[in-house]
Amino acid sequence: MSVTMKVNPAEERRLIKALRELGDDAEDELSKAINATGLSLRGSIVKKYRRGPATGIVYEKYNPRRTHQASAAGEAPATDTGRLADSVTFDRQGKLQVEVSTDVEYGPPLEFGTRTIEPRPNWVPSIQEEEPKYKERLNGALEKATRKVRR
């Protein structure tokens, strides 16, 4: 499972225009904003896995023997071994693109649910929380690049 954040077409046109007009300064500032957003999104996802409320059933697990309190439907998955949280990665895909992903096979079924499991959303709420900050970072990056060019 991976996430790619995109801007709407009007914002995309504005970004492309700014890149053409402002050159390397705009690209550098946008790169910083996109990088910061990817890191922030990864941090939010991991934090919710590790600290999310666990109000579901409590049961015994074996190998190793332990007590686990599951998350309830609608809550971020409750961590048990930490494998899912540890698997969330951040990777730069170029100057203006990053990817936040997990390769753990049970990540998507937990996020979206199955026939027998209700969804335990974490990624979608994290993305929704990050979106306004992402837009603020992009606007700030363009303003900063514009100020540099006007000097």
Side-chain angles (χ1 to χ4, degrees):
M1 178 165 62
S2 68
V3 172
T4 303
M5 295 182 85
K6 298 185 183 236
V7 295
N8 70 41
E11 290 173 328
E12 185 175 6
R13 285 191 294 278
R14 182 173 167 235
L15 291 173
I16 290 169
K17 181 180 177 193
L19 284 171
R20 285 188 188 128
E21 292 174 0
L22 303 174
D24 290 342
D25 286 333
E27 190 173 16
D28 290 345
E29 293 301 325
L30 289 170
S31 179
K32 290 176 192 174
I34 291 166
N35 195 55
T37 299
L39 288 169
S40 179
L41 178 60
R42 181 197 176 277
S44 176
I45 291 166
V46 170
K47 184 192 287 187
K48 284 184 175 128
Y49 281 141
R50 295 195 188 279
R51 296 188 190 150
T55 62
I57 62 169
V58 176
Y59 57 96
E60 289 295 315
K61 293 192 90 173
Y62 303 93
N63 200 16
R65 187 175 185 88
R66 64 202 181 276
T67 301
H68 176 70
Q69 180 160 17
S71 59
E75 295 176 345
T79 192
D80 182 25
T81 64
R83 180 172 171 230
L84 183 56
D86 290 344
S87 75
V88 180
T89 61
F90 164 85
D91 186 37
R92 289 184 67 123
Q93 299 289 308
K95 203 162 187 182
L96 298 177
Q97 184 177 346
V98 298
E99 180 181 75
V100 178
S101 63
T102 179
D103 61 357
V104 171
E105 67 281 352
Y106 53 85
L110 284 171
E111 180 75 19
F112 301 109
T114 66
R115 285 186 298 111
T116 58
I117 301 170
E118 291 294 318
R120 268 61 176 177
N122 180 0
W123 290 64
V124 171
S126 294
I127 292 166
Q128 290 169 339
E129 291 167 12
E130 192 62 39
E131 186 177 15
K133 297 179 233 175
Y134 176 53
K135 290 179 180 180
E136 285 176 27
R137 287 185 191 105
L138 291 179
N139 285 326
L142 291 175
E143 288 171 15
K144 191 171 182 180
T146 301
R147 283 193 303 270
K148 285 182 180 179
V149 169
R150 289 184 181 158
R151 284 188 214 156

